[in-house]
Each structure stands twice: as structure tokens, then as C-alpha cells.
Amino acid sequence: MKTITIEGQLRTEFGKKATRQLRSQEQVPAVIYGGAQEVNFYAPAKAFKLLVYTPEFQIAEVQIEGKAYRCILKDLQFDKVTDTLDHVDLLELVGDKKVVATIPIKFTGVSVGVKGGGKLITKMKALKVKALPADLTENIEVDITNLDLNGNIRVEDVKINNVEVLNSPRIPIASVVLTRQLKQEEAAAPKSAPAKAAPAKAAAAPAKGAAAPAKGAAKK
């Protein structure tokens, strides 16, 4: 699994003033949870870029005063106005302690439904799992080869050794739909126009042989 290194310094001062001072120097406050003790530190904002601005699941090795902590990203905070990184929460990986992580899905194969003219719709990009650090992987492979038209792959269909998937089992991960059907789903079909009234029937013609009214008939 890909690992990035972050060199940090222990925090010795806390409070709003100390935190503002760090951020003014382009340093980001951070904390490591999950180990023998909580570790508060800071590091340059650029040191977190490869960990934060990526969809990949990675290990962060944080080096602080001669000690190394293997961690995964837990949470982030950004400034509401400037959108700069304000704070980072990391979870330390301890050998015999399970952790909860969000791991990207990697779809493999070509769906038979796509070969038949359908369109693949991916509905989830990652799964939330619980596992020992040794069982964590960069991604979770989901084979879509046998996914047919109008078929679905759901969370319950994903089986991973020694890993518990925490998402609701019936949630669809991917499906294949007909292109025409997809268009119908994206835009509701317009309501049909009301049927036009049938034209009134013409007045019946006089029957053949009927006597026509006499011209100039005498008035009574």
C-alpha cells in the first residue's frame, strides 16, 4: 500500500492564539488518535497535500521527534471562507486493533449488459469497512463481468476476507440500464395531451323518395 511521510513537530502551546499563530505560518495543527496516547502535533500545509487532495486510500507515516506513527486519515477541517486546510485528524494503526476506514471501489471486467447495449451506472465510489491494519487494502475490487441488463450489484454481493463491510447490505453499488430507459429516468415523460372531442355528426340527409315540400304552398 502506498505510504507517504509527514514530518511534524509536537505542539507545546494550545488555545486560539497559539493555533492562529501556527496557521499564519502555514502550519496545520493535527492530532493522532487510537494509540497508547493522543499525540498533538503540527506540520507544513504542503506536507498534507498528497494525503488530503486525492481519492486514494493511503498510509501516512508521521515522524515526530524520532518516533514514527503509522496512520490513516480520519477527518479534516477547512476554513469556511478561504477553504484552506485548518485541522487534520489521524487514526494510528495498532497491530491487533481493528479500525474503521473508507476504501475506494475499483470495478474490473466488462459487463455483459454493456456489451448488449446497456450503460453502466456506478452508484458508490467507496465502502466503509472495519478490519485489522494488516487486512486494509488500497482499493476493493468489484467484478462486473456478469452484470446483465437491468441487473444490480449490491453491497451484500461484495465478499472480502477478514474485512467487515459496514454499509447497508441492500444498497446498489452498480447497475446496467438500457440507454432509452436511462433517458426516461433522467427526464420525466411529458403528460399526454387530452383527447380531442369527436366531431359532431352531420345532420341526416332526407331519405330517398321522400316528397319535397311543394313550392308556393297555400297558406292556411
Side-chain angles (χ1 to χ4, degrees):
M1 189 183 301
K2 187 176 180 181
T3 302
I4 65 169
T5 301
I6 297 173
E7 295 186 3
Q9 302 290 326
L10 279 177
R11 290 188 66 179
T12 56
E13 296 182 4
F14 298 88
K16 292 182 179 180
K17 183 177 180 180
T19 301
R20 284 197 298 268
Q21 180 67 21
L22 284 175
R23 290 170 180 158
S24 69
Q25 298 170 355
E26 297 187 349
Q27 302 287 327
V28 178
V31 61
I32 300 174
Y33 297 103
Q37 60 183 9
E38 185 177 300
V39 180
N40 289 275
F41 73 101
Y42 62 91
K46 62 182 179 180
F48 291 102
K49 282 186 176 181
L50 293 177
L51 180 67
V52 172
Y53 301 102
T54 178
E56 296 179 356
F57 180 73
Q58 304 174 100
I59 301 295
E61 183 176 285
V62 184
Q63 298 179 353
I64 305 171
E65 297 186 359
K67 294 183 179 181
Y69 304 86
R70 293 183 73 249
C71 309
I72 58 174
L73 185 61
K74 188 65 176 176
D75 197 13
L76 300 167
Q77 293 178 23
F78 292 90
D79 185 276
K80 294 180 180 179
V81 178
T82 64
D83 203 33
T84 54
L85 185 62
D86 262 3
H87 195 276
V88 177
D89 288 355
L90 300 170
L91 184 63
E92 186 176 357
L93 299 178
V94 180
D96 59 350
K97 190 174 182 179
K98 290 185 176 183
V99 295
V100 175
T102 300
I103 301 182
I105 296 171
K106 180 181 179 182
F107 294 101
T108 62
V110 179
S111 161
V112 293
V114 171
K115 290 180 180 179
K119 183 173 183 179
L120 177 67
I121 306 296
T122 56
K123 300 181 178 181
M124 294 183 69
K125 295 182 178 180
L127 290 174
K128 190 175 182 180
V129 304
K130 186 175 184 179
L132 291 171
D135 295 318
L136 295 175
T137 58
E138 289 184 7
N139 51 61
I140 296 172
E141 291 192 359
V142 175
D143 186 3
I144 60 171
T145 302
N146 296 322
L147 183 57
D148 209 342
L149 286 169
N150 299 319
N152 290 287
I153 293 179
R154 302 181 186 275
V155 170
E156 63 187 359
D157 299 320
V158 180
K159 309 297 181 185
I160 316 167
N161 291 335
N162 303 320
V163 174
E164 179 186 358
V165 180
L166 301 179
N167 303 84
S168 179
R170 295 296 295 168
I171 296 177
I173 294 175
S175 60
V176 174
V177 298
L178 293 171
T179 305
R180 183 172 59 186
Q181 178 183 338
L182 179 64
K183 290 179 179 178
Q184 291 174 346
E185 291 176 352
E186 291 178 344
K191 295 181 179 180
S192 57
K196 293 182 179 179
K201 292 184 178 179
K208 289 183 178 181
K215 292 183 179 179
K219 295 182 180 178
K220 290 183 180 181

